[in-house]
Amino acid sequence: MEPRKEARTPRDTVARPHGVWTTPVRGAEEQWGGEDSPAAPSSDSEADCGSADGLWGLPVEQTARRPECGRCSRPQKVCLCPFLPVHPLHISTHLYIIQHPAEENKVLRTVPLLEACLPQDKCKVKIGRRFSEERDTELSTVCRKSGTLIFYPGAEATNLEEFILDSPVYPSTIIIIDGTWSQAKDIFYKNSLFRFPKQVQLKTTISSQYVIRMQPTNRCLSTLECAAVALSILEKNNSILETLLRPLQALCSFQLQHGAQIRLSKEYLLKNGLYPKPMPKNKRKLRKMELLMNSVKI
Ligand SMILES: [Zn+2]
């Protein structure tokens, strides 16, 4: 059985690691890699220690950490605050982001931008993979409320617009899972708490503008985009969509100007014979790829 990890709320308890932001802006996030701490000496270098007596006493040069903007969480030199609304948006909907722990350390994250646009009491980020009713009573209460929706696409999900029309209770809270598609699937299906809210999806025809991160299909949206579309529908205010997408567009535009490549969706690459990797041998994975090529919703 998997050890349970208590969920965390970044604003309260987590100091974000800074190590990944120590190098100048590069293209795609995969290029940034992990920590910039100096590698441990290999056995070969240890053999040279005799000739380097005294060097160990010298101060180790610390890799300079780029200061981070307190509002948008981007490095200060590439701060996106000019693209954020002056004041947090007025919304009545509460938003809970369930963030996979691996997402927290990614460089090009969209959730900090979303948080920066919304009032603090309306946007909460909970980090973890497993959420128990006992340990997270707040989330437990939220999930059991009749006005709470969880976004997870699939055959069981109702389109948000249709749900609003049919439901006697107007949605007051939405839950969005932040992670890769397989991480989101793991979180959604392995937490019984997420069976309580009504499962909804967005019937949107817009293509993701988060072009610097590969999505499975052209219609898969980033967490920020999903929240932007959902909030604009629930709040009946199209300007919310525009306001929330502005920093994302600025982020992508900046990254593209500094060498990032547009990441075409896996669906597009497969359909056009451009997928750079060999097809998987695992039959289940192969079937998924075939479904993607035929544009069947998975
Ligand atoms: Zn900023």
Side-chain angles (χ1 to χ4, degrees):
M1 189 172 157
E2 205 161 23
R4 286 189 171 189
K5 286 184 184 170
E6 200 158 350
R8 293 171 283 135
T9 306
R11 273 176 175 152
D12 301 336
T13 54
V14 177
R16 290 207 174 98
H18 297 256
V20 290
W21 281 321
T22 52
T23 45
V25 173
R26 297 182 201 167
E29 66 189 287
E30 284 79 2
Q31 290 178 277
W32 290 68
E35 302 294 327
D36 278 358
S37 55
S42 67
S43 53
D44 285 347
S45 61
E46 276 168 1
D48 293 337
C49 283
S51 58
D53 270 351
L55 289 181
W56 295 108
L58 293 173
V60 176
E61 189 184 346
Q62 295 290 322
T63 311
R65 288 181 172 172
R66 298 210 294 173
E68 185 183 290
C69 170
R71 188 176 179 208
C72 69
S73 299
R74 297 285 300 150
Q76 279 178 1
K77 281 190 176 174
V78 289
C79 162
L80 290 174
C81 288
F83 302 95
L84 300 177
V86 177
H87 302 291
L89 296 176
H90 286 290
I91 53 168
S92 56
T93 311
H94 288 83
L95 171 63
Y96 280 81
I97 304 288
I98 306 300
Q99 188 173 64
H100 189 280
E103 202 65 25
E104 189 190 2
N105 294 333
K106 292 222 168 117
V107 175
L108 300 174
R109 297 166 301 155
T110 62
V111 170
L113 299 176
L114 182 62
E115 284 183 283
C117 292
L118 299 176
Q120 204 166 335
D121 65 326
K122 293 286 167 55
C123 179
K124 292 194 176 172
V125 181
K126 293 202 168 265
I127 299 165
R129 297 176 65 228
R130 298 293 174 261
F131 298 85
S132 73
E133 298 204 33
E134 304 76 40
R135 285 187 182 184
D136 203 323
T137 50
E138 181 197 5
L139 193 61
S140 172
T141 307
V142 165
C143 286
R144 288 170 181 276
K145 275 198 317 184
S146 59
T148 300
L149 310 178
I150 187 161
F151 281 84
Y152 192 82
E156 306 290 309
T158 310
N159 292 329
L160 179 62
E161 288 100 328
E162 290 161 27
F163 178 81
I164 293 172
L165 290 177
D166 296 340
S167 172
V169 180
Y170 198 81
S172 59
T173 306
I174 56 175
I175 299 174
I176 299 174
I177 304 172
D178 182 42
T180 63
W181 289 88
S182 62
Q183 288 163 351
K185 186 177 177 184
D186 173 77
I187 289 175
F188 180 71
Y189 285 109
K190 293 195 178 157
N191 287 288
S192 57
L193 260 183
F194 298 144
R195 298 285 81 70
F196 294 112
K198 182 70 189 170
Q199 186 187 339
V200 293
Q201 63 187 3
L202 293 171
K203 184 185 156 189
T204 178
T205 50
I206 69 163
S207 289
S208 176
Q209 298 186 33
Y210 193 27
V211 290
I212 50 176
R213 188 162 173 183
M214 187 193 276
Q215 309 284 353
T217 78
N218 298 332
R219 294 166 306 286
C220 288
L221 299 179
S222 65
T223 303
L224 182 143
E225 290 169 308
C226 177
V229 175
L231 289 173
S232 66
I233 293 170
L234 289 166
E235 302 283 326
K236 300 183 174 72
N237 182 350
N238 277 338
S239 70
I240 289 178
L241 181 65
E242 197 183 313
T243 306
L244 291 180
L245 292 187
R246 200 175 296 134
L248 180 73
Q249 289 158 348
L251 172 71
C252 292
S253 163
F254 180 86
Q255 293 296 122
L256 291 172
Q257 282 167 26
H258 289 78
Q261 302 288 317
I262 289 185
R263 306 295 306 271
L264 298 165
S265 72
K266 199 185 270 186
E267 177 192 22
Y268 179 91
L269 294 174
L270 284 167
K271 280 185 175 171
N272 291 281
L274 299 170
Y275 191 64
K277 297 177 189 171
M279 293 299 271
K281 289 180 181 157
N282 176 299
K283 277 188 182 170
R284 196 172 54 84
K285 285 184 180 170
L286 189 60
R287 175 76 185 135
K288 269 191 172 181
M289 299 284 250
E290 286 168 356
L291 289 172
L292 257 185
M293 287 172 81
N294 296 316
S295 286
V296 178
K297 197 170 264 180
I298 51 170

